[in-house]
Amino acid sequence: MAKAMRSIASDCHPHTLMSTLARAYNLGGLFCIDAWPFAEEMVIVADPELAAQVTQTSPLAKHPQLGNVLRPIIGDKSILTTEGAEWKFWRSVFNPGFSSSHLMTLVPYFIDDGLVFCAKLTENVEKEHLFFLEEALTLLTVDVIGRVVLDTKLDSQRKEHNVEETNPLVTTKGQFLQSSCKVQPSTSRSLGVLWWHERVMNTYLDQQLDDRFTSWTIANREPGMRQKYIMNLALETYMEQQPQQKGAEISRQSSKNMQGLDKVFKRSAIDNQHPNALKKVQEEHDDVFGTNPDHAAAMIKKDPRLLNRLVYSVAVIKETLRLFPAASSFRAGNKETFFDIEGKRIPTEGKAVWIISHTLGRRADLFPSPDSFHPGRFLSPKTVPDGAWRPFERGPRNCIGQELAMLEMKIIMVLTLRKFEVTAAYDEYDRMKGRKKGGAVREAFGERAYQTLVASAKPSDGMPARVRKIGKW
């Protein structure tokens, strides 16, 4: 293991290390890692059929460690960590708001926040700024969540990052994610950090949700005023099932689920590293929206169904998420579940079961030339084995926000890829940081933008980038 660890950047996401081990030692689709005394034994699953066994056929419960790590963000009871009847109830509460048909009605809000993102890119062009693409996209996503979930204009992209001056959900969440991954939870300092950020986020979200309940109540009393934001639909479903609950109680319960929602959003970026794919995407956008990219926003607002014609763009998103999935599934084994492979029966009781989309996506027997960027493999259903692509996981515990995420990515691609060229600026950033070539390893699978762990998988160093305008528009 030490040899494999030395071959990749020291701050790589753990799923990258598992993929490196699987390839280096030809471990196949199932292997065990004994990390005692630092962690319990883990069974690594990187096989479509075995993954389906524990997520679809006989789903294992989520591992309790997820709740321990994420509790300050998502609370004690969350759609991410609850089980059984309690999970089914909360999933049913939020399902209507996250349906594909409903999200299409909210497309104008995606567009408005996407245009702000474009304006921020233009500012970086004019000022010739080196900026961090991950931060810019995170703020965009938070704005989208505020609009379509809470009916709140957070305006995160436009405000300075000061907890006293901007909305606490953005700043505090970001500071917590950094702290939770870099500070051991057993220290008094880390406990104070977690307590403070949890308190700020809870106070902010409780107020937001109380406001939503009040507006929902008024809207339901006045004909023609019903609103269809995700939280409004959740409140509507909740009240149908729990009519005796009061507004404050609903808000407190709902806030625990809403605090983790941004965890389900993934972002896809394509730059001039793949000019042929970029050209095909641009041509597809010309075919669907005409050659003037400035017209696309109004066209999508008028007819969101145009986005369903972006077949190649979706293939690009899928290929990006195959190579760089944002998360994986961490389950708890039990005494009833065994894996049968090559004549051996492997128990899961007392073990963590980790289904790793990254390792699945890097298997050459499932995806030929696994480290190459080939969106075309997703244009034919026969070229991708069933169940091999699972960045949103599958089964009843799949990502509730996957339709929202795909919709956001398609819209941002349409608004940006014919007007801006984004180029990673790692060489420039490394020089600024005084990093010398030939020093520490700063890549994985040939990528300088390797993934690190900051609550979910993020590009290394926040992906420093530069942007320039392209085209005549």
Side-chain angles (χ1 to χ4, degrees):
M1 182 181 289
K3 182 179 179 181
M5 293 178 68
R6 289 194 296 269
S7 70
I8 59 177
S10 61
D11 60 341
C12 271
H13 192 291
H15 69 203
T16 305
L17 174 59
M18 296 300 107
S19 300
T20 302
L21 289 171
R23 182 174 296 182
Y25 298 103
N26 194 27
L27 297 176
L30 187 77
F31 56 96
C32 296
I33 297 290
D34 188 354
W36 186 90
F38 304 104
E40 66 185 302
E41 186 176 352
M42 291 187 292
V43 179
I44 308 301
V45 180
D47 177 88
E49 292 184 5
L50 298 179
Q53 177 185 334
V54 293
T55 61
Q56 295 166 259
T57 307
S58 301
L60 290 175
K62 293 293 185 76
H63 197 283
Q65 185 62 25
L66 287 175
N68 296 338
V69 172
L70 297 175
R71 186 191 62 79
I73 297 180
I74 63 177
D76 295 316
K77 297 181 181 296
S78 164
I79 197 172
L80 294 177
T81 57
T82 50
E83 298 290 341
E86 186 176 24
W87 168 79
K88 289 180 180 179
F89 168 73
W90 281 113
R91 181 81 180 211
S92 71
V93 165
F94 288 102
N95 272 336
F98 284 98
S99 68
S100 179
S101 58
H102 173 66
L103 290 172
M104 280 294 190
T105 68
L106 302 177
V107 160
Y109 302 105
F110 287 78
I111 295 291
D112 290 342
D113 289 320
L115 291 175
V116 175
F117 178 74
C118 290
K120 296 299 291 185
L121 288 180
T122 299
E123 289 179 17
N124 285 315
V125 172
E126 294 171 348
K127 297 177 181 178
E128 298 184 348
H129 275 178
L130 183 148
F131 70 106
F132 295 94
L133 186 59
E134 193 276 326
E135 178 185 31
L137 287 167
T138 295
L139 294 175
L140 164 64
T141 300
V142 170
D143 277 350
V144 170
I145 293 171
R147 285 284 197 107
V148 304
V149 175
L150 295 173
D151 182 23
T152 299
K153 189 173 182 179
L154 298 176
D155 207 18
S156 307
Q157 299 179 85
R158 289 291 190 187
K159 294 180 179 178
E160 294 299 322
H161 294 200
N162 184 300
V163 73
E164 285 80 23
E165 296 175 5
T166 189
N167 91 77
L169 178 59
V170 179
T171 304
T172 306
K173 174 194 151 297
Q175 292 173 351
F176 164 76
L177 294 182
Q178 294 289 343
S179 302
S180 66
C181 294
K182 295 181 179 180
V183 181
Q184 293 297 320
S186 59
T187 66
S188 58
R189 175 180 178 272
S190 66
L191 291 174
V193 169
L194 297 179
W195 174 83
W196 171 253
H197 293 322
E198 180 180 12
R199 179 174 178 270
V200 173
M201 284 192 292
N202 283 349
T203 300
Y204 179 81
L205 281 171
D206 281 349
Q207 182 59 56
Q208 288 290 325
L209 290 162
D210 283 342
D211 292 345
R212 298 288 73 71
F213 178 76
T214 300
S215 64
W216 174 82
T217 303
I218 294 172
N220 277 273
R221 286 201 301 260
E222 300 291 336
M225 288 187 62
R226 294 182 69 190
Q227 298 172 315
K228 291 299 182 181
Y229 300 99
I230 291 174
M231 181 50 65
N232 292 82
L233 286 182
L235 284 167
E236 188 173 294
T237 305
Y238 187 97
M239 290 301 291
E240 289 174 356
Q241 299 185 45
Q242 303 284 339
Q244 75 281 5
Q245 294 286 346
K246 297 180 180 179
E249 293 171 333
I250 297 171
S251 292
R252 282 193 292 272
Q253 290 288 338
S254 300
S255 71
K256 300 304 182 184
N257 291 281
M258 299 308 299
Q259 288 174 22
L261 275 178
D262 76 316
K263 303 275 298 156
V264 303
F265 297 103
K266 324 297 193 290
R267 293 164 293 278
S268 172
I270 177 173
D271 62 16
N272 57 8
Q273 284 189 322
H274 307 290
N276 292 333
L278 178 58
K279 182 179 179 181
K280 290 180 180 180
V281 169
Q282 292 167 333
E283 289 172 347
E284 179 176 70
H285 294 176
D286 284 345
D287 290 342
V288 175
F289 302 104
T291 57
N292 187 339
D294 289 336
H295 294 166
M299 292 177 67
I300 297 172
K301 281 188 174 183
K302 183 178 180 181
D303 185 6
R305 293 172 299 177
L306 290 171
L307 295 167
N308 295 332
R309 295 171 56 186
L310 301 180
V311 178
Y312 189 77
S313 298
V314 169
V316 165
I317 293 171
K318 288 185 174 182
E319 180 71 342
T320 302
L321 292 176
R322 176 186 72 82
L323 292 166
F324 303 103
S328 51
S329 187
F330 201 54
R331 307 291 178 110
N334 59 41
K335 62 182 180 180
E336 290 85 18
T337 302
F338 295 81
F339 290 113
D340 294 305
I341 184 169
E342 297 179 356
K344 296 180 180 180
R345 203 166 198 229
I346 300 174
T348 66
E349 185 179 9
K351 301 179 177 68
V353 179
W354 190 7
I355 304 98
I356 306 182
S357 179
H358 186 279
T359 309
L360 262 165
R362 297 284 181 162
R363 282 182 54 178
D365 57 330
L366 300 176
F367 298 96
S369 301
D371 300 335
S372 299
F373 188 77
H374 292 312
R377 73 175 91 233
F378 285 98
L379 296 178
S380 171
K382 296 181 180 180
T383 59
V384 177
D386 185 40
W389 187 81
R390 51 199 317 127
F392 297 108
E393 204 33 86
R394 298 189 175 210
R397 300 299 296 261
N398 66 354
C399 175
I400 194 173
Q402 59 185 293
E403 294 292 341
L404 195 158
M406 294 295 290
L407 192 58
E408 178 187 357
M409 288 186 281
K410 286 190 286 185
I411 289 172
I412 296 306
M413 290 173 74
V414 171
L415 295 181
T416 61
L417 294 185
R418 292 182 292 167
K419 299 181 69 173
F420 302 96
E421 180 184 82
V422 178
T423 305
Y426 279 107
D427 288 344
E428 180 183 354
Y429 184 72
D430 286 343
R431 288 193 299 271
M432 289 170 55
K433 301 293 286 186
R435 298 168 177 169
K436 297 180 180 179
K437 290 187 176 181
V441 176
R442 298 194 184 281
E443 65 174 40
F445 289 94
E447 291 283 351
R448 178 63 181 85
Y450 60 86
Q451 291 179 298
T452 59
L453 176 60
V454 184
S456 62
K458 303 292 178 64
S460 62
D461 294 315
M463 197 170 186
R466 285 193 176 275
V467 59
R468 71 181 185 89
K469 282 283 190 77
I470 58 174
K472 61 183 179 179
W473 308 105

